[in-house]
Amino acid sequence: MSDDRRLDVLRAIVEDYVATQEPVGSRSLLDRHQLGVSPATIRNDMAALEDEGYIMQPYTSAGRIPTDKGYRMFVDRLATVKALSPAERRAIETFLTGAVDVDDVVQRSVRVLAQLTNQVAIVQYPSLTRSTVRHIEVVALEGARVLLVVITSSGRVEQRIIELVETPSEQLIGDIRSRITGATVGQRLPEASLRLAEMIETFAPNDRPIVTSIVTTLSQTFTNERSDERIAVGGTANLARFGNDFDTAIKPVLEAIEEQVVLLKLLGEATSGLTVRIGSETGNESLSSTAVVSSAYGLDDQALATLGTVGPTRMDYPATMAAVGAVARYVGRMLADN
């Protein structure tokens, strides 16, 4: 029971410090929480938590504040993810509904996530290499030109117009379209590219120059990984809202946020579900005063990319985790529906 009570005390300290931004004393714990024990017992529990490294005294005669270790215990054992209010759910759905393409989905997602959490929001663009082929169209244009259209499971649409060595017949275009569709639809893009290469030899020698041009262009589209390196960032100004004790940390955090490689590394480690990294767990000294909450998003069980937030370690973890998880689910659902 003593350990359970100390966990209750730790939970109360985290919740009060996040709410008030002030060190928490034993008297305030008794006033705000029904802990059912004496002031002396609370002081003993706080002393034990301090000895174990879960809380600390920022200066003499002050109350206590959580350490990174304390926040980690709170997230792992004590935090219950808050249910979003009906208004918050409507806000997400309303904001994301009507997006016209993947770029629009990403931009809308980063704005709504920043608004919900009052933190810096980061959304990675869906990865082409993790996507599967949903549809391919081969359309003959005037002369020897052909339009190629690739639609992936992430909702991304790629179009290419190529000049062939000669004008193809309608029968050949139809045959190419049919074989490409059979070889690639439902396949992940890297595998689809391999299948295309194997398909060239199945055509008559006279047709292979045309087929090779089309297959080469499609393969280049499939292996294009630029989208893996694109992210959208919003809500940077929210960092200024977290009080004087965070002011000195803002500059290095902003500098880290500008380095997209850092953010991609953080987001890339969230392969499924919610991931919370606190302080030194981010692996970046500039982010040692922050926490990163992230989640993968995608179609069914297939992760296409990740999104998340960056804020001070003194954040409302249950609310942030709920918002990140909800936006990830909505984005995945939108990609599946469209």
Side-chain angles (χ1 to χ4, degrees):
M1 291 300 295
S2 175
D3 288 343
D4 290 341
R5 190 183 62 244
R6 287 175 184 171
L7 289 177
D8 288 339
V9 171
L10 176 60
R11 178 193 290 110
I13 291 173
V14 171
E15 291 175 349
D16 282 5
Y17 183 56
V18 169
T20 67
Q21 303 181 20
E22 296 290 340
V24 182
S26 58
R27 182 175 296 278
S28 63
L29 288 179
L30 289 170
D31 292 341
R32 296 172 183 160
H33 302 273
Q34 301 298 320
L35 296 174
V37 294
S38 68
T41 300
I42 294 295
R43 287 193 292 271
N44 289 337
D45 287 340
M46 293 178 70
L49 289 170
E50 187 171 6
D51 289 341
E52 293 168 6
Y54 293 107
I55 60 176
M56 62 174 288
Q57 188 176 33
Y59 50 87
T60 305
S61 302
R64 303 300 188 269
I65 63 174
T67 61
D68 289 354
K69 182 179 179 181
Y71 285 125
R72 171 49 60 193
M73 176 66 76
F74 176 80
V75 169
D76 289 346
R77 300 213 18 211
L78 303 175
T80 300
V81 177
K82 292 180 181 176
L84 292 182
S85 69
E88 289 172 325
R89 289 196 296 271
R90 284 195 302 271
I92 296 174
E93 188 169 5
T94 300
F95 208 84
L96 295 183
T97 298
V100 296
D101 55 26
V102 173
D103 289 337
D104 198 12
V105 170
V106 170
Q107 294 299 327
R108 289 175 183 237
S109 299
V110 81
R111 290 200 299 272
V112 74
L113 190 55
Q115 290 175 9
L116 286 172
T117 62
N118 287 323
Q119 297 175 30
V120 178
I122 310 160
V123 180
Q124 182 184 19
Y125 279 77
S127 166
L128 285 178
T129 55
R130 299 180 197 172
S131 305
T132 58
V133 178
R134 179 176 291 177
H135 181 75
I136 290 181
E137 193 58 67
V138 182
V139 182
L141 302 176
E142 292 183 0
R145 295 193 308 160
V146 171
L147 169 65
L148 303 178
V149 181
V150 178
I151 303 176
T152 71
S153 58
S154 68
R156 186 171 292 279
V157 178
E158 296 283 335
Q159 299 184 39
R160 300 287 188 274
I161 295 178
I162 58 175
E163 295 280 351
L164 301 176
V165 293
E166 60 181 285
T167 302
S169 66
E170 291 185 8
Q171 181 178 353
L172 179 58
I173 288 295
D175 192 17
I176 292 173
R177 182 190 304 115
S178 176
R179 295 198 202 184
I180 287 176
T181 297
T184 62
V185 170
Q187 300 293 318
R188 287 167 57 93
L189 270 62
E191 287 78 7
S193 184
L194 292 175
R195 288 190 169 211
L196 285 176
E198 296 170 353
M199 191 186 70
I200 295 175
E201 298 300 322
T202 66
F203 283 85
N206 290 341
D207 294 331
R208 288 177 190 172
I210 291 176
V211 176
T212 299
S213 295
I214 293 175
V215 166
T216 300
T217 301
L218 281 176
S219 295
Q220 290 171 350
T221 303
F222 290 166
T223 56
N224 178 6
E225 299 187 27
R226 287 175 300 172
S227 63
D228 292 16
E229 302 172 358
R230 295 178 62 200
I231 59 174
V233 179
T236 306
N238 287 330
L239 292 178
R241 301 180 180 181
F242 286 97
N244 295 332
D245 62 328
F246 191 64
D247 285 350
T248 56
I250 288 180
K251 184 177 179 181
V253 171
L254 290 175
E255 291 173 348
I257 288 174
E258 289 178 359
E259 296 292 333
Q260 295 197 358
V261 174
V262 174
L263 300 183
L264 283 167
K265 183 176 184 296
L266 289 174
L267 292 180
E269 293 171 354
T271 56
S272 63
L274 280 168
T275 301
V276 180
R277 294 178 184 79
I278 301 168
S280 60
E281 295 173 354
T282 63
N284 187 290
E285 186 176 352
S286 298
L287 298 175
S288 61
S289 61
T290 70
V292 179
V293 180
S294 56
S295 174
Y297 71 83
L299 308 174
D300 299 322
D301 295 329
Q302 180 188 9
L304 296 177
T306 52
L307 55 79
T309 65
V310 178
T313 52
R314 190 196 67 246
M315 69 165 63
D316 186 342
Y317 288 96
T320 301
M321 293 161 67
V324 169
V327 172
R329 287 191 297 273
Y330 273 94
V331 172
R333 192 179 308 159
M334 288 195 68
L335 293 177
D337 291 343
N338 293 292

